[in-house]
């Protein structure tokens, strides 16, 4: 079946708060990246029934809904953050806006723990999509549990994963790697954390897991982020803030633990200083994609 040609200009107005130039500067690279994944790398055809894990505010859900067409459907699991969180629009507001839009009938947002949902699910999907969501999990054990459920119960014909690679191919990407590692090591010490980086896993970690469990990898590749994709800067800015250091000091009583995290933050700050434009020159690392 012929692929649906996805039109960025047509999709942008369907997303909440997309009218302003400032919003579009942020939104267009995000949607462009997801279009590239769905149309050019994963090649999800019209008529597909897709389970998306980590639906969040629905930017990937929107692109998936456009790809699957009138005869397909997307079930988006959104359990990582409460519907009341998010800015300038909350998760709940963004999802409601999408549901009221032109593609709303093609998508369902389900507020459920992925493991609980899959444990009671009898439907077989054409594919499961996990796009930059696995770092939200609170442990690698939970990620392993999810992968095991998907593979052993055969919930989908294919599993499609895209996650940050941790591979810096330029000095501009080094601060993003250091920020992610610093954040993940701190949130490990906070069992109540709701940060968007809680567990960092690498492409090598996935390869080892797939090999140990005799899972066939169909394809894998590295993908450049579109120009203007701000995730790296957002993560660096968060760790760079004095608030991060103050909260870390309040959270950790052991001086050696605090020092270990503090010098990781220092290394990130030094990496930012090496860039001519400082924080504004920070780039997001490449994204690793795999199909099993």
């Amino acid at each position: 079946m012929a692929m649906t040609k996805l039109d960025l200009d047509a999709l942008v107005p369907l997303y909440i708060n997309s009218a302003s130039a400032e919003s579009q500067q942020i939104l267009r690279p995000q949607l462009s990246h997801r279009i590239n994944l769905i149309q050019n790398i994963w090649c999800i055809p019209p008529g597909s029934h897709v389970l998306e894990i980590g639906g969040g505010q629905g930017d990937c859900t929107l692109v998936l809904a456009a790809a699957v067409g009138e005869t397909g459907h997307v079930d988006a699991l959104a359990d990582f953050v409460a519907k009341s969180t998010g800015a300038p629009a909350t998760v709940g507001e963004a999802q409601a806006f999408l549901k009221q839009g032109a593609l709303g009938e093609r998508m369902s947002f389900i507020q459920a723990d992925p493991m609980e949902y899959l444990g009671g699910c009898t439907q077989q999907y054409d594919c499961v999509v996990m796009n930059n969501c696995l770092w939200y999990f609170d442990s690698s054990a939970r990620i392993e549990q999810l992968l095991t459920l998907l593979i052993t119960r055969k919930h989908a014909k294919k599993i499609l994963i895209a996650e940050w690679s941790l591979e810096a191919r330029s000095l501009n990407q080094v601060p993003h790697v250091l920020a992610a590692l610093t954040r993940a090591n701190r949130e490990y010490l906070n069992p109540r954390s709701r940060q968007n980086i809680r567990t960092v896993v690498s492409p090598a970690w996935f390869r080892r897991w797939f090999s140990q469990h005799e899972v066939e990898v169909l394809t894998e590749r590295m993908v450049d982020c579109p120009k203007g994709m701000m995730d790296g800067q957002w993560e660096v800015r968060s760790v760079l803030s004095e608030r991060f250091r103050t909260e870390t000091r309040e959270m950790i009583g052991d001086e050696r633990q605090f020092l270990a995290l503090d010098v990781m933050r220092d290394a990130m700050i030094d990496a930012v200083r090496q860039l001519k434009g400082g924080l504004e020159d920070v780039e997001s690392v490449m994204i690793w994609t795999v199909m099993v």
Side-chain angles (χ1 to χ4, degrees), residues 135-182:
W135 285 11
Y136 283 75
F137 279 67
D138 57 14
S139 70
S140 59
R142 289 268 292 170
I143 299 173
E144 292 186 71
Q145 183 184 359
L146 174 63
L147 293 172
T148 300
L149 267 175
L150 288 170
I151 290 165
T152 58
R153 298 199 180 186
K154 303 187 187 307
H155 285 291
K157 299 172 186 175
K158 293 179 181 178
I159 300 171
L160 311 174
I161 298 171
E163 196 51 87
W164 299 109
S165 68
L166 288 175
E167 183 176 327
R169 295 194 174 181
S170 71
L171 289 177
N172 303 73
Q173 295 174 354
V174 170
H176 186 192
V177 174
L178 295 175
L181 294 175
T182 304

Side-chain angles (χ1 to χ4, degrees), residues 75-233:
D75 287 336
L77 295 182
D79 176 59
F80 298 107
V81 292
K83 286 191 174 185
S84 59
T85 60
T90 67
V91 170
E93 289 168 345
Q95 292 177 0
F97 188 88
L98 289 172
K99 284 292 294 178
Q100 294 163 8
L103 304 183
E105 292 186 355
R106 304 181 190 178
M107 62 182 82
S108 299
F109 289 99
I110 303 168
Q111 198 75 15
D113 177 88
M115 266 61 82
E116 291 181 6
Y117 178 82
L118 291 169
C121 179
T122 57
Q123 179 175 346
Q124 186 186 54
Y125 293 91
D126 292 299
C127 61
V128 173
V129 168
M130 292 175 277
N131 175 49
N132 288 90
C133 70
L134 292 173
W135 285 11
Y136 283 75
F137 279 67
D138 57 14
S139 70
S140 59
R142 289 268 292 170
I143 299 173
E144 292 186 71
Q145 183 184 359
L146 174 63
L147 293 172
T148 300
L149 267 175
L150 288 170
I151 290 165
T152 58
R153 298 199 180 186
K154 303 187 187 307
H155 285 291
K157 299 172 186 175
K158 293 179 181 178
I159 300 171
L160 311 174
I161 298 171
E163 196 51 87
W164 299 109
S165 68
L166 288 175
E167 183 176 327
R169 295 194 174 181
S170 71
L171 289 177
N172 303 73
Q173 295 174 354
V174 170
H176 186 192
V177 174
L178 295 175
L181 294 175
T182 304
R183 170 68 72 178
N185 276 277
R186 193 190 83 165
E187 301 315 314
Y188 168 77
L189 301 170
N190 179 13
R192 296 188 301 275
S193 173
R194 302 301 290 173
Q195 292 291 334
N196 61 347
I197 299 180
R198 300 174 214 168
T199 299
V200 168
V201 286
S202 65
W205 181 92
F206 281 105
R207 292 187 195 105
R208 287 192 296 269
W209 194 91
F210 291 142
S211 176
Q212 289 166 5
H213 294 81
E214 299 181 342
V215 177
E216 181 185 6
V217 174
L218 301 176
T219 62
E220 65 169 290
R221 64 184 289 187
M222 300 289 282
V223 180
D224 283 308
C225 294
K227 185 175 176 59
M229 199 161 158
M230 303 288 289
D231 299 67
Q233 286 191 24

Side-chain angles (χ1 to χ4, degrees), residues 42 152 290:
W42 292 333
T152 58
V290 65

